[in-house]
Amino acid sequence: MKFYFIIATVLNFASFSVWADNAKSTLPLQFQQAMQNKNWDFANVCIDSMLQEAPYQDQLWYNKGVVYYQQHLLAESIACFQKAILLNPFNKDAKDNLLVAQSRLVDRLPNYFDFILLRWWKLLSSPYFHTYWAFTALGLWVLIGLSMYLPKALQTKKQFRIVKNSMLFLSICFFIMAYFSWSSLKNTTVFVVQSDQAMQYATPMSKLGTKVPYGTIVSVLERTPNWYKVALPNGVETWMQQQTLTKF
Amino acid sequence: MARSFLLWLFIVFSSWSAFAQQLVFSTQVGGEKMGIKDQLQVDYVLQNAQQIESLSPPNYTDFNIVGGPYQSSQSNIQMMGNRMVESKTITISYVLQPKHSGTCTVLGAIAKDAANHTYVSNAVSVQVVNGSLAQQRSSSRDPFGDDDQDPWAMMRQQMQQMQQLFSGRGRQQAPPSNQSAEEIKAPADLNKDVFIKVSVDKSSAYVGEQITTSYKLYTRLPMQMSISKLPSLNGFWTQDFELPKEMKPTEEIINGKKYQVFLLKKSALFPQQVGKLQLDPAEAKGLVRVVQKTKRANPFADDPFFSQFGSLFMGDPFFDNDLFSGMAYKDIPVTIASAPVSINVKEVPNTKKPISYTGAVGKFQFDVQLDKLSCSTDDALKLKLLIRGSGNLKLIEAPVFDLPKGLEKYDPVVIDSITGRTTAIEGFKEFEYALLPTAPGDYEIAPITFSYFNPATQQYESIVSQPIHLHVVLGKQLPTNKKVKLSQFHNYNRSINAQNPFYAFDHVWYWMIMLLVGLFLLIQLTKHKWQKMWSAWIDKRNNRSNRVALKRMKKAQVFLDQKQIELFYEEVSKAIWLYLSDKLTIDLASLSKEAALEKLAARQLEQKIIDNVTAVINDCEMALYAPSIAEHKMQQTYQDTIAIITHIENSKK
C-alpha cells in the first residue's frame, strides 16, 4: 500500500509537466498583421478561428473586443470585454477597455447589486481559480495520507487529530469550490442589448416600459422560442425579444 | 392610327389592377368550370409582398394535390400608359384534381408577415362536371384578356356577320380571322423597337470620382416587361438616386423615330480601383405586342349585285380600306439586354498631393467644433470634425491631427449620412472624438487640415480649420460624472495562442490521481475497522470448522462401529483435511500435506501433534490402497484425529 501511495504522489507532481504546447498556429501572426493593416474584418475572422479552438481563452475575447471597438461596434465590444473578465477577473486591460467602451454609451443602467460579498464570491468561483482549488484539494489529501506515516505516538495526540480533520474538511471545501468554478465556465455567456430597446413582455398585449440602453449587459433567466426573460444590471427582471439581444 | 390607340387603351385597362401598392393576397384559379378528369392550377398571389415570412396552404376537402407548391417571385416595373409602376409579386401555385363533381371550393391560404399579421386569401368556387373540358379550353386564348371582351374580336364578329349578309353563297361561316388571315406584314425588328441603353456622364474618371449612370428602356411598342437582371457594378461603391415611384415616360427621337423612354435605374458610381472597369448589362424580359394587318377575302365578290356592278364598286378605294382587311395582334416574348460599357479609371495625381489627403474626391466643406471651450478636469469633451459636400463620402478616412499634452483622445464615433440623391450624391460625414483633459491649463487645439481632390479643377484643395482655445480648471478629483475612472484604451494583446487555460476537472488523469489518493485515505482511515471485521470472520470460520470436523468424526465413529473401513477412512480424511484448510486458512486448491505441516509448525505446536497429523494423513492414504492392513489401526486413527482437533482448538485459546 505504501508503494502505491508513493507512486500516486510521484505521478501527481510529474503530471505538471504534461502541459505541453500544441503545435503553433499561424493564426496569431495573421491576426497581428490584420490589426496592423487595420483590416478589422479579417482580424475578426482570425480571432473567431482561434476561439473555436480555445473558447475559454480570455486574451482572445479581449482581442475580439478590441477589434469590435475599432469597428465602432460598442455593444459587441462591451460583451467581449465582459466575457474576458468573467474568464479572468485579473485581466486589467479588459477591465480598462470595458470602462472606456461603456463610457461612450449614451445611457447606462446603474448597477445596484455590486456589493462586496457578491464580488468576492464571483471572484473566487470564477473559472480562473478552478485549477488552484482543484490542486489544493488534491495536495491536502496527499498531506493527510503522508501524515499517516508519522510516528504512532504523534498520531495519537489530540492536536494532530484536530489538524488532520481540519485538513480533511478544508480539502472537501476546496474540492467543492473547484466544482463551482469549473461549472461557472458554462455561465460565461454574455448577452448584450443591440439597440435601445423598450422593456417588453412575452405577450402580444404587453405595454412598453422603461428603455433598456444599447450595450447593456443582461443575464438571461428564462427562454421561450422568441422571448428571453432577462435580469437588468439594476436588478429589474423583464422580457425582451430574442433578436434584440446578441449572445457571446 | 385610331385602332392602335384603341389597342393601347385596352392594354392599359386590362392591367389596371397592378397599380395598387397595398398588399393584396388573392386566390386565382385556371377557370370557373372544369371536368372531373381535369387538373386545376391554383395560384396564391401576394402582390406588393415585402416581409412575408410564411404561407400555409389550406386543407383541401374537395381536391387532391397533384403538384406543387411551386414558388415564383417577380419584381415588376410595368409601363402602363404613361406611368411606371414597380411591384413585387410572390406566387405559390398548386395543381389540384377534384374529388367529386358538383360545386367544389378552393379554400384560401394563410400568409403571415414579419409583424405576425395574418392574411387570408379569398376562397373560389369551381363547378366540376363529369368528363374533361381540357380540350375545349385548349384553344388559344388571348393572354391579355377574355375574347368576349376583346374589342377586336367583337369587330371581327361584326365583319363576319356583314360577310354573311352580303354573301350570295355564303351561308357557310367564315373561319376565324386569325387562322384564315394571310399575314401581310411581318413583325418588326424588335431590337430596334425595344431596347435598354446605359448612359454614363463620363467614360474616364479618377478613383473616387462620381460617375452618373442611367439605365433606360426605350420602346415604340406596347409591352409588359420586368427587369430580370440588374448590373452588379463590381469595383464601384454605388449610391442609387431616388426615382419617383410613378414616373412618366419621356419621349426621345432617335433616327427620326419617336421612342418612349423609361428610366429604370440611376446611380452614382465611385470607382475604387484603377484600370478599365466594365458596367455589366441590365436585362429585361417580357411580352411585346405586335399589331399585324391581315388581308380578308372580299365579302362582296360573290354577290350577284356586286358581280353586276362589281367593276363599278371594286375600283373604289373604299373597298381597299381597313374595313375589309383585319387587324390581328401577336404577343412575342422578348429578352433584351443593354450593351456593356467600359470606364477608364485613373489614379489621382501624385504630384502636389498634400500630406493631409485621406482619399476624399469631390467637393467638400470642412468644419471643426468643440462642445465646450471651458471645462474642468472632471469633464469630458466632444470634438466634431464635420465634412459636408458631394463625393465619395463613405470612403473618406478621418483627418489626422495631434492634440496638446494633457488632452487624451479616444477613437472616434463615425456617422455618415446621405442627404441628397436628386442630382448629385450629397451628405455629410462626422468624426466625433471624446477628449479628456487630464491636467488644468490653457490648451490650443492646432488647426486641422482636410484635403480633397476636386475632379472639376483637377487639383487638390485643402481646408484648414481655426485653432480652438480651451480653458481647463482643476476638477474636484472625484470620480467623473459617469462614475467610472477612465483609463487609456489598451491595444490588442500580441502574445496570444489558441489554447484553452488548464482546467483540472477536464483531465482524466486528475480524476485518476484523486481516486487513488482518495481510496488510499479511505482504506487508511478505516483500516482498524477492516481488521476487526477480518478477525471476526476468521473466528467464525474456525468455529464452523470445529463443528464440521466433529460432525464428520461422529459419522466416522458409526463406520468404525460397523467396521466399514473405506467409508471410515474416507470420512476421517475429509474431516482432517477440511479442518486443516479452515483452521490454517489454506485454500483447498493449494492444500497439501507439506503446506499444512508448515503452517502447523509456524503455529509452534508440539512436534508430537505434528507427527500425529502426518500419521493420520498417511493412514488415510494407505487405507485407500490397502484397507486390510489399516483395519487394526482404525481405533488408533480415530483417537489421534480427535486428539489433534482438541489440541489445536486448545492451543488457539
Side-chain angles (χ1 to χ4, degrees), chain B residues 175-221:
Chain B
S177 63
N178 278 350
Q179 291 172 17
S180 65
E182 177 195 346
E183 284 192 2
I184 57 170
K185 186 184 174 187
D189 187 355
L190 290 176
N191 287 334
K192 289 179 182 173
D193 290 337
V194 182
F195 58 89
I196 297 176
K197 191 177 171 187
V198 183
S199 57
V200 290
D201 64 342
K202 58 192 81 159
S203 58
S204 176
Y206 290 102
V207 172
E209 183 182 351
Q210 177 177 327
I211 303 163
T212 307
T213 175
S214 306
Y215 287 81
K216 291 177 182 174
L217 176 68
Y218 289 74
T219 180
R220 297 180 62 234
L221 298 171

Side-chain angles (χ1 to χ4, degrees), chain B residues 63-79:
Chain B
F63 294 93
N64 290 320
I65 299 175
V66 292
Y70 309 112
Q71 183 174 345
S72 63
S73 61
Q74 196 175 24
S75 291
N76 273 331
I77 297 175
Q78 292 183 329
M79 274 56 77

Side-chain angles (χ1 to χ4, degrees), chain B residues 119-165:
Chain B
Y119 304 94
V120 183
S121 68
N122 56 304
V124 178
S125 294
V126 178
Q127 195 68 33
V128 180
V129 295
N130 289 326
S132 171
L133 299 180
Q135 287 182 345
Q136 295 172 32
R137 282 200 185 147
S138 63
S139 59
S140 62
R141 288 172 63 91
D142 177 11
F144 284 81
D146 194 338
D147 277 347
D148 296 340
Q149 296 168 354
D150 182 358
W152 298 106
M154 290 168 73
M155 194 174 283
R156 282 197 299 273
Q157 199 177 354
Q158 285 175 356
M159 288 178 73
Q160 284 167 16
Q161 286 170 358
M162 280 177 71
Q163 268 187 319
Q164 287 170 17
L165 186 68

Side-chain angles (χ1 to χ4, degrees), chain A residues 90-231:
Chain A
F90 299 102
N91 191 332
K92 190 178 176 306
D93 287 354
K95 281 181 176 176
D96 289 347
N97 284 4
L98 179 66
L99 289 181
V100 173
Q102 284 182 327
S103 72
R104 294 185 55 188
L105 297 176
V106 178
D107 293 316
R108 282 179 65 193
L109 291 177
N111 195 347
Y112 287 138
F113 283 83
D114 200 17
F115 54 89
I116 193 160
L117 284 177
L118 190 68
R119 267 184 298 178
W120 276 8
W121 171 251
K122 279 184 180 172
L123 180 70
L124 295 176
S125 64
S126 74
Y128 181 79
F129 281 107
H130 163 73
T131 303
Y132 293 113
W133 302 140
F135 278 103
T136 310
L138 182 61
L140 283 173
W141 282 20
V142 172
L143 277 177
I144 295 166
L146 286 172
S147 72
M148 291 176 181
Y149 292 93
L150 291 172
K152 289 275 180 194
L154 189 64
Q155 285 193 39
T156 50
K157 284 190 176 175
K158 191 181 175 185
Q159 291 87 342
F160 178 84
R161 267 184 280 153
I162 290 170
V163 171
K164 195 172 76 174
N165 290 338
S166 306
M167 282 164 66
L168 191 64
F169 174 74
L170 276 176
S171 70
I172 291 167
C173 289
F174 285 134
F175 191 79
I176 292 168
M177 282 301 293
Y179 173 76
F180 271 112
S181 56
W182 182 66
S183 57
S184 69
L185 264 183
K186 294 167 195 166
N187 300 327
T188 56
T189 307
V190 175
F191 289 86
V192 65
V193 178
Q194 261 307 324
S195 56
D196 287 356
Q197 293 296 323
M199 276 159 48
Q200 294 175 2
Y201 302 90
T203 58
M205 301 301 290
S206 67
K207 291 178 181 175
L208 299 181
T210 313
K211 200 169 84 171
V212 184
Y214 163 76
T216 303
I217 296 166
V218 298
S219 48
V220 170
L221 307 172
E222 201 178 320
R223 299 176 191 200
T224 65
N226 291 321
W227 292 80
Y228 284 171
K229 186 180 184 184
V230 300

Side-chain angles (χ1 to χ4, degrees), chain A residues 1 5 12 15 19-21 28 31-32 35-36 50 53-57 59 62-63 66 69-70 72 81 93 96-97 99-100 103-104 108 127 130-131 134-135 138 141 144-145 148-149 175 178-179 182 185, chain B residues 410-414 432 434 482-507 509-511 513-521 523-525 527-528:
Chain A
M1 188 58 82
F5 177 72
N12 178 23
S15 60
W19 302 347
D21 279 345
F31 169 72
Q32 284 181 26
M35 292 297 280
Q36 281 164 7
M50 286 189 275
E53 298 289 321
Y56 301 130
Q57 175 62 259
Q59 289 299 341
Y62 166 76
N63 280 352
V66 173
Y69 186 85
Q70 300 292 359
H72 310 294
F81 290 137
D93 287 354
D96 289 347
N97 284 4
L99 289 181
V100 173
S103 72
R104 294 185 55 188
R108 282 179 65 193
H130 163 73
T131 303
F135 278 103
L138 182 61
W141 282 20
I144 295 166
M148 291 176 181
Y149 292 93
F175 191 79
Y179 173 76
W182 182 66
L185 264 183
Chain B
Y410 295 98
D411 285 347
V413 176
V414 184
E432 185 182 298
K482 286 174 179 153
K483 294 187 180 178
V484 290
K485 188 174 181 183
L486 289 178
S487 308
Q488 183 69 39
F489 188 83
H490 302 282
N491 207 345
Y492 69 99
N493 190 346
R494 291 165 194 274
S495 56
I496 50 169
N497 54 36
Q499 204 174 353
N500 267 337
F502 178 83
Y503 295 114
F505 276 21
D506 287 338
H507 295 266
W509 59 263
Y510 174 83
W511 290 105
I513 294 171
M514 281 298 279
L515 194 70
L516 279 173
V517 177
L519 272 176
F520 172 78
L521 284 180
I523 290 166
Q524 287 294 317
L525 291 170
K527 193 167 68 176
H528 295 294

Side-chain angles (χ1 to χ4, degrees), chain B residues 325-424:
Chain B
S325 59
M327 291 296 289
Y329 51 80
K330 194 173 181 183
D331 295 310
I332 301 172
V334 291
T335 301
I336 52 176
S338 63
V341 175
S342 293
I343 291 173
N344 188 29
V345 182
K346 301 173 285 187
E347 183 67 87
V348 288
N350 280 322
T351 52
K352 296 182 182 176
K353 188 188 274 186
I355 302 169
S356 55
Y357 178 71
T358 53
V361 179
K363 179 72 178 165
F364 300 101
Q365 294 169 340
F366 179 60
D367 193 19
V368 178
Q369 297 166 354
L370 188 66
D371 64 335
K372 293 175 199 167
L373 297 177
S374 175
C375 66
S376 76
T377 51
D378 296 337
D379 295 331
L381 302 165
K382 284 180 182 173
L383 180 70
K384 281 185 187 174
L385 275 56
L386 187 65
I387 299 165
R388 189 184 290 276
S390 63
N392 59 344
L393 278 165
K394 296 233 174 189
L395 307 175
I396 298 173
E397 290 187 10
V400 181
F401 65 97
D402 290 322
L403 288 173
K405 280 188 178 179
L407 285 179
E408 282 186 5
K409 175 180 77 176
Y410 295 98
D411 285 347
V413 176
V414 184
I415 302 165
D416 48 32
S417 179
I418 303 298
T419 54
R421 295 166 187 259
T422 50
T423 53

Side-chain angles (χ1 to χ4, degrees), chain B residues 247-309:
Chain B
M247 187 183 283
K248 288 186 177 178
T250 55
E251 288 191 344
E252 282 185 30
I253 296 174
I254 300 173
N255 295 333
K257 292 180 180 175
K258 191 189 279 185
Y259 287 86
Q260 288 208 314
V261 184
F262 297 90
L263 182 59
L264 305 177
K265 181 181 170 76
K266 189 178 179 186
S267 306
L269 310 181
F270 297 91
Q272 290 183 292
Q273 60 196 64
V274 180
K276 203 168 188 178
L277 300 180
Q278 200 168 52
L279 302 183
D280 300 333
E283 279 183 15
K285 284 181 183 174
L287 295 172
V288 172
R289 177 158 288 184
V290 179
V291 182
Q292 298 172 329
K293 277 187 179 177
T294 55
K295 194 176 180 181
R296 296 176 187 282
N298 186 348
F300 308 109
D302 296 333
D303 195 298
F305 173 77
F306 283 100
S307 62
Q308 191 174 353
F309 302 100

